[in-house]
Amino acid sequence: MTVDKEHRSAGMTGRCAEIVDADGRMRAAWKPLMEALAKMTPAEYARRNDTAQTALRNNGVTYNVYDRREGQSRRWRLDILPFVVDPPEWALIEAAAIQRARLADALLSDIYGPQQLINDGVLPPHIIFGHPQFLRPLVGLKPPGGVRVHLYSVDVARTTDGSWVVLSSRADAVSGIGYALENRIVVGQVFPDLFGEMRVRRLASFFNAYREAVRSLADGACGRAVLLTPGPHNEAYFEHAFLAHYLDLTLVEGDDLAVRDDKVFLKTLSGFEPVSVIFRRIDSDFCDPLELRADSALGVPGLTEAVRAGNVVLANALGGGVIESPALDAYLHAASRALLGEDLLIPDIPTVWCGTEWGRKEALDRLDRVIVRGAFDARPIFSSRSTAKLGGELSAEEILALKDRLARRGATIVTQDIVGLGEAPIYRDGEIASKPVSLRVFVAWTKDGYRVMPGALARVADNDTIRSLSLQSGALSKDVWVPSVGPVDRFSLLRPPGAAVPIQRTGESPPSRAMDNLFWLGRYGERADTLARVLRTVVRRLGDGAGEGADRKLLEFFSELLRNLPMGNPSRSGEDLGAALRALIAVRGTPDGLPQLLMRIRQTAWSARDRLSLDTWQTIHLMTEAEMLPSPGRPFDSAEALSSLDRLVRRSAAFAGYCAENMTRGPNWLFTDMGRRIERALHLTWLVGRIAGPSALAEPERIRIALDVSGSAMTYRSRYFDALQLKPLLDLLLFDESNPRSLAFQLDAVEKMLAELSHLTPDGKGAPAADLAAATRRLAAPADFFEDDVPVAPLLTQYLERIDVGICGVSDALTDAYFRHAVRRRTGGDAREV
């Protein structure tokens, strides 16, 4: 790979001032990296890149985009070539970022306090009071320790003249820091020798200082520290789960928390547990539907009052969104002088607020040289929902509309100068190229003042324009390396080798919602496994023709089977059997078909991501990937379908195996396995009912189908050879406690797990579910529905129906006991805790 003279012809000079200085000489910090690349063949670089991309894929690293069809499954994009910042340049960025964080904290204290900047005319009232994120209930509210901004980010970029400029900042629900950490882990593993040789500064001590500083504000209060996420549909959910694990926090959603007597509690299996610190990743206005935003389903009712009472620390404090608007950028320099007595070390993009006559005139006079955007639009510029438009690209009609809006509502518009950005090197198609880049720098509050993370999240445009610099617009990310000028800090959040640790076999009581998700993960996993086995049995017997030349009675039996599946009724009456198979196996819109079930497994697993081991998550990822099933656009091919179904059954078994072998026998395993056992029991009652019920198909053929679907053919043949009779089949599938796929085995397992769960939760909490499980096991014995070795169909049907009702009752009792904490009110009755 050539990166010296040749790299300059590939666009590495000019705007790429990151590698070369104004005289065209390579910057010292970049030399080790570029020399290493020069010695590396394209094949070696490609191998390292493949290793990184595989790690990201296996770790489930995603950045979701709301309005894209592939949104929730979109993979994180990482260019493994790190971005290097010279220590002297980093010193300027570091000082400027700390200054900005101090200013943000001082601004919020003034806005929600004395509002002196407005009274003195430094800030126009409209850019504060007119901002949708100015939350009036917070005026006068003082957070614990007086700190409002615990984590802050600022996006900076080098311009084409070599100077630095601030593009935007975040002081509310800061995002990106977890992705920066993931990038560091992956790139550090890809270039381990180079990482050590360049003496790159490490990140662990920064994260530790951030965590401990926030926890210290709780002033010794006893309670959990949690990370509050909007949930798995949020674009940065991976980051939330990753940070919660890295910082040893409990990952929670709004429904996991409750406010009682102005205190915040976490709903756990053991009941309510106090919460003293909340690391917040939900926008302020969504945090409390009682006082802030009534339509929010993400927040915690009463949270604002708990903060007002001083009973919980929120990091960041509520209300930070008001200072993230572009309109404020026009006045930040003046605000810095008023509050800090300092000029800004790095300026903002030149911004004009159009709420004045001069601002409106300036916007029209310079329209071809500016970007026009909403005054309160804090979205990344040119992201999918950004209001930003290039003034020079407006049509005559759009210019007239802009003039009208300026005249009527000029205060809602700003213009910002178009700034040419410096470029970062990327490796593409065997060559070094360069694209526009910006750095997101993170600052955390500590007891010793604000501290900057010695690295950043670099965003590189996917083309040559600033339009694609947003992650939502497809930008690449990079790790940012800052070489150390002194000894490298070796601090790690991992426990030092040889350090004594107390022995413990249980952890904190888990959130009820997390256990609910694991319970349904087990149920959905078993549901998909059963459907795959049923479909595999049908496809094996019918082949490509899906019935051409097949026995009519067999066709009718399979058609009836697919019309009455236990997970729903996806096959419509009268539908061609081949069409039904194709719909259930490949068509993603089929209710309760395999694509829908696999999507539910993935979504449920994603919601419980912090509870699953890496191996388990990777197995679920492989089990639910889009390539698992045939393409819905191709004609039905039985060989392809059979191969897909075989692969799915194997991966489903691998998932069950990881749960059985890798999960300690605590709540995570108990609820996952109980969900699986309950679902399997329901499927067995369905299968036996269909096989033993009236049918034109011969009994031996129905027994073969039952053995194939239940995975019990080998056991049956080892005992009874080819004597295919109903009584031994019923004994094997219903009453044989040694058969792990029998009904008795499932009921016995559920009863034992409920007994084990009673040791982990308050006395009597799971008694109703345990009693129902025991009663269900005692419902009948084989002799109850046989007369002279001949089964009596009505008796068997009644038995299966009672079992079915009993199992559903166990599931409902389990939900009432462990997953609900609200007061349920019934008409004509008293309220009760459930």
Side-chain angles (χ1 to χ4, degrees):
M1 185 187 303
T2 54
V3 292
D4 190 8
K5 294 180 179 179
E6 287 81 3
H7 80 266
R8 300 185 184 183
S9 63
M12 304 305 289
T13 55
R15 288 194 296 169
C16 194
E18 308 303 341
I19 292 182
V20 296
D21 59 22
D23 298 325
R25 292 189 297 268
M26 184 178 292
R27 296 179 184 273
W30 281 90
K31 283 184 178 179
L33 175 61
M34 303 310 285
E35 289 172 357
L37 290 177
K39 299 174 184 177
M40 196 178 299
T41 65
E44 172 64 13
Y45 190 92
R47 184 191 66 78
R48 294 181 187 236
N49 183 61
D50 289 343
T51 299
Q53 303 310 320
T54 299
L56 293 172
R57 182 171 61 253
N58 290 343
N59 292 347
V61 186
T62 60
Y63 182 81
N64 307 328
V65 182
Y66 298 117
D67 54 355
R68 299 284 182 89
R69 293 185 62 184
E70 75 275 16
Q72 192 164 353
S73 60
R74 174 171 157 180
R75 293 171 182 165
W76 180 247
R77 303 188 67 197
L78 170 65
D79 177 60
I80 63 169
L81 187 63
F83 185 90
V84 186
V85 181
D86 276 312
E89 297 250 84
W90 184 254
L92 170 63
I93 294 173
E94 190 172 39
I98 289 174
Q99 181 190 53
R100 292 272 177 159
R102 291 168 46 229
L103 177 59
D105 194 77
L107 267 170
L108 289 171
S109 295
D110 182 71
I111 289 169
Y112 290 109
Q115 299 177 349
Q116 197 62 44
L117 293 179
I118 294 174
N119 294 334
D120 292 344
V122 177
L123 297 181
H126 183 82
I127 67 172
I128 302 300
F129 300 140
H131 198 304
Q133 290 295 316
F134 174 67
L135 306 178
R136 287 166 177 77
L138 304 181
V139 173
L141 190 156
K142 295 183 178 179
V147 183
R148 297 180 182 271
V149 179
H150 306 85
L151 184 65
Y152 177 81
S153 72
V154 56
D155 293 345
V156 300
R158 195 196 299 274
T159 62
T160 51
D161 65 5
S163 62
W164 291 90
V165 66
V166 169
L167 304 178
S168 63
S169 62
R170 293 287 180 269
D172 194 36
V174 177
S175 65
I177 192 169
Y179 290 106
L181 178 59
E182 176 70 17
N183 285 355
R184 170 58 56 86
I185 292 171
V186 172
V187 175
Q189 291 171 346
V190 170
F191 297 115
D193 296 336
L194 192 58
F195 186 84
E197 178 189 338
M198 293 182 63
R199 300 167 51 80
V200 178
R201 294 175 63 181
R202 305 193 177 201
L203 310 181
S205 61
F206 167 85
F207 282 94
N208 182 66
Y210 166 52
R211 179 186 63 183
E212 297 307 314
V214 174
R215 282 181 164 178
S216 72
L217 292 174
D219 198 23
C222 180
R224 292 268 194 109
V226 303
L227 191 148
L228 178 60
T229 172
H233 295 290
N234 182 261
E235 58 192 10
Y237 182 73
F238 165 80
E239 174 178 71
H240 304 161
F242 181 56
L243 279 177
H245 177 76
Y246 187 73
L247 297 176
D248 195 24
L249 307 172
T250 303
L251 183 67
V252 300
E253 297 179 26
D255 286 343
D256 292 327
L257 303 177
V259 175
R260 300 287 187 272
D261 298 325
D262 298 339
K263 294 184 174 69
V264 181
F265 293 90
L266 173 64
K267 305 170 188 175
T268 74
L269 293 182
S270 301
F272 289 115
E273 292 192 9
V275 172
S276 58
V277 177
I278 299 176
F279 290 77
R280 179 174 62 83
R281 292 299 182 269
I282 296 180
D283 291 344
S284 289
D285 56 332
F286 282 93
C287 281
D288 186 350
L290 283 184
E291 292 199 51
L292 303 179
R293 182 166 176 163
D295 64 343
S296 171
L298 305 176
V300 185
L303 182 60
T304 306
E305 187 58 34
V307 174
R308 192 176 286 121
N311 292 326
V312 67
V313 176
L314 259 64
N316 289 346
L318 296 171
V322 70
I323 64 170
E324 294 180 354
S325 69
L328 189 61
D329 292 347
Y331 297 91
L332 275 182
H333 198 86
S336 178
R337 287 178 174 174
L339 293 174
L340 306 181
E342 301 170 3
D343 289 331
L344 293 176
L345 296 174
I346 296 180
D348 294 277
I349 292 178
T351 302
V352 173
W353 178 55
C354 299
T356 65
E357 184 176 348
W358 174 86
R360 291 187 285 273
K361 182 177 183 301
E362 183 75 2
L364 293 175
D365 289 346
R366 304 181 65 247
L367 190 58
D368 61 336
R369 289 167 284 170
V370 298
I371 295 168
V372 181
R373 64 188 302 197
F376 305 128
D377 179 13
R379 301 180 187 92
I381 195 166
F382 293 120
S383 63
S384 56
R385 293 180 291 168
S386 170
T387 60
K389 294 183 178 180
L390 289 171
E393 295 183 357
L394 296 178
S395 65
E397 184 178 347
E398 288 174 323
I399 292 174
L400 286 176
L402 175 62
K403 289 179 178 179
D404 179 65
R405 186 179 170 191
L406 284 171
R408 293 184 298 106
R409 302 184 62 197
T412 64
I413 299 174
V414 297
T415 64
Q416 294 183 310
D417 283 9
I418 298 173
V419 178
L421 301 184
E423 299 190 347
I426 64 170
Y427 182 76
R428 179 174 291 176
D429 300 326
E431 295 184 356
I432 295 289
S434 58
K435 300 294 179 183
V437 63
S438 71
L439 307 182
R440 176 162 293 182
V441 181
F442 300 95
V443 189
W445 175 84
T446 72
K447 285 190 171 182
D448 298 323
Y450 283 101
R451 176 175 174 178
V452 175
M453 187 180 83
L457 176 66
R459 296 177 296 172
V460 184
D462 197 33
N463 54 44
D464 292 325
T465 72
I466 193 176
R467 288 179 182 274
S468 59
L469 199 55
S470 161
L471 293 175
Q472 290 199 1
S473 301
L476 295 167
S477 69
K478 278 179 174 289
D479 186 21
V480 176
W481 288 7
V482 181
S484 175
V485 295
V488 177
D489 182 3
R490 301 288 178 177
F491 176 84
S492 173
L493 282 174
L494 300 175
R495 193 181 300 272
V501 295
I503 300 299
Q504 55 182 9
R505 293 184 176 176
T506 59
E508 296 177 319
S509 183
S512 299
R513 177 194 51 81
M515 298 303 99
D516 193 6
N517 285 327
L518 289 175
F519 178 71
W520 278 99
L521 178 61
R523 293 197 65 166
Y524 286 139
E526 185 64 23
R527 196 171 292 184
D529 181 73
T530 296
L531 181 56
R533 290 173 182 271
V534 170
L535 294 171
R536 184 176 64 172
T537 299
V538 176
V539 173
R540 276 176 177 168
R541 282 165 169 75
L542 297 184
D544 278 325
E548 294 177 11
D551 183 89
R552 182 181 58 81
K553 294 177 181 179
L554 184 63
L555 291 177
E556 290 176 353
F557 181 81
F558 281 147
S559 295
E560 183 67 18
L561 198 69
L562 297 185
R563 279 197 295 271
N564 295 278
L565 290 167
M567 58 285 300
N569 188 24
S571 179
R572 296 182 294 275
S573 178
E575 186 176 35
D576 174 74
L577 186 56
L581 286 172
R582 178 180 174 276
L584 287 167
I585 295 172
V587 178
R588 282 153 179 75
T590 304
D592 291 308
L594 271 180
Q596 285 278 35
L597 283 175
L598 294 182
M599 182 185 69
R600 290 178 188 171
I601 291 171
R602 190 176 185 87
Q603 289 176 340
T604 308
W606 193 237
S607 298
R609 178 68 179 86
D610 59 317
R611 299 273 157 184
L612 302 172
S613 70
L614 180 59
D615 286 336
T616 304
W617 169 255
Q618 290 175 353
T619 302
I620 292 172
H621 171 75
L622 292 173
M623 176 181 168
T624 59
E625 61 185 354
E627 296 78 11
M628 171 61 63
L629 300 175
S631 170
R634 293 196 297 267
F636 180 79
D637 182 305
S638 64
E640 181 187 24
L642 191 57
S643 175
S644 296
L645 293 169
D646 279 337
R647 189 164 61 249
L648 177 56
V649 169
R650 289 195 297 270
R651 290 183 180 177
S652 175
F655 168 50
Y658 274 119
C659 292
E661 297 298 325
N662 289 11
M663 281 185 169
T664 55
R665 293 324 191 234
N668 290 351
W669 174 78
L670 286 171
F671 281 101
T672 304
D673 205 50
M674 265 195 291
R676 180 179 294 279
R677 300 298 172 190
I678 285 173
E679 193 73 19
R680 185 175 293 177
L682 291 171
H683 294 169
L684 282 165
T685 61
W686 165 81
L687 178 63
V688 171
R690 290 292 154 189
I691 297 302
S695 173
L697 186 64
E699 182 177 286
E701 183 61 26
R702 283 182 280 144
I703 291 174
R704 288 191 186 95
I705 292 170
L707 292 173
D708 196 4
V709 171
S710 65
S712 300
M714 181 177 291
T715 303
Y716 188 93
R717 283 197 300 268
S718 70
R719 296 177 182 179
Y720 308 109
F721 299 100
D722 292 328
L724 299 175
Q725 298 177 14
L726 188 59
K727 187 173 183 180
L729 175 74
L730 296 180
D731 180 69
L732 180 63
L733 296 189
L734 295 182
F735 305 108
D736 186 352
E737 294 183 355
S738 68
N739 178 14
R741 303 197 74 86
S742 75
L743 177 64
F745 189 95
Q746 315 314 315
L747 296 179
D748 181 63
V750 169
E751 189 174 9
K752 289 177 179 176
M753 283 186 280
L754 286 170
E756 180 64 25
L757 193 58
S758 67
H759 299 310
L760 304 175
T761 53
D763 292 343
K765 188 166 187 176
D771 292 344
L772 268 171
T776 302
R777 281 195 67 201
R778 294 192 298 267
L779 279 175
D784 292 347
F785 42 82
F786 279 88
E787 292 182 1
D788 298 327
D789 289 336
V790 178
V792 180
L795 294 178
L796 178 60
T797 300
Q798 291 173 13
Y799 167 72
L800 294 174
E801 288 177 351
R802 291 199 302 269
I803 290 287
D804 200 73
V805 170
I807 295 168
C808 292
V810 171
S811 179
D812 291 342
L814 197 66
T815 299
D816 281 342
Y818 295 107
F819 304 151
R820 291 195 179 114
H821 294 269
V823 175
R824 179 182 294 173
R825 298 186 180 277
R826 303 182 185 275
T827 304
D830 296 330
R832 65 182 181 93
E833 286 287 334
V834 295

